[in-house]
Amino acid sequence: MFKHYQDLGTAVRREPARHGLDGTFATATAFVLGLDAGTSGSMLTGFREWLVVRLNRDHNLTWPALVRHLAPSGWIHPLTHRADTEAVITLHRLLTEFFDAREHPDSLARIFRDYQSWLTSRPWSETASPDQID
């Protein structure tokens, strides 16, 4: 199933206009959110948590904000043309890596275990119960 998402992502990255997109991060994000909604949220299950562990901070952000933080320009608001392009490229790269990771057996359990380990390693986690995920 994730191979299909990867193939679609590649097609959208190569020809965004053919898919009704203008090539910006805003439309790429809207497209991905629509795909995820069409799968009742299962396509991106674990994506935000996977990104938090990669970024090693900001577990209170949405995945689009995390992607922008992981882009080469980092968080820039409003997006410059260059930062927008970098964010789109970063989104496609991260989705490809995430879908590759999700193809492995028990990948989702591993993603959430890594996220839980990350959470409990934070200094502020001492006040939370050990089985609590925010």
Side-chain angles (χ1 to χ4, degrees), residues 58-118:
D58 298 328
H59 78 105
N60 58 333
L61 297 178
T62 62
W63 68 258
L66 292 165
V67 168
R68 286 187 50 195
H69 279 279
L70 287 162
S73 294
W75 180 265
I76 295 175
H77 187 76
L79 282 170
T80 63
H81 178 69
R82 178 178 169 209
D84 198 349
T85 301
E86 289 176 351
V88 171
I89 292 167
T90 301
L91 172 60
H92 287 292
R93 178 181 53 80
L94 291 169
L95 283 171
T96 297
E97 291 174 20
F98 175 71
F99 294 148
D100 282 344
R102 285 290 311 272
E103 286 289 335
H104 298 288
D106 298 326
S107 61
L108 195 55
R110 193 173 329 119
I111 288 168
F112 282 108
R113 265 193 315 271
D114 291 347
Y115 180 63
Q116 181 67 38
S117 293
W118 181 87

Side-chain angles (χ1 to χ4, degrees), residues 8-66:
L8 181 57
T10 299
V12 169
R13 180 178 42 82
R14 288 183 181 156
E15 298 180 272
R18 186 173 187 185
H19 299 275
L21 307 177
D22 63 7
T24 64
F25 184 72
T27 62
T29 299
F31 186 81
V32 172
L33 286 167
L35 289 174
D36 190 46
T39 66
S40 299
S42 67
M43 183 181 90
L44 294 180
T45 299
F47 186 52
R48 188 187 73 79
E49 293 78 9
W50 183 80
L51 291 171
V52 167
V53 172
R54 285 182 79 106
L55 185 59
N56 196 26
R57 69 173 206 268
D58 298 328
H59 78 105
N60 58 333
L61 297 178
T62 62
W63 68 258
L66 292 165

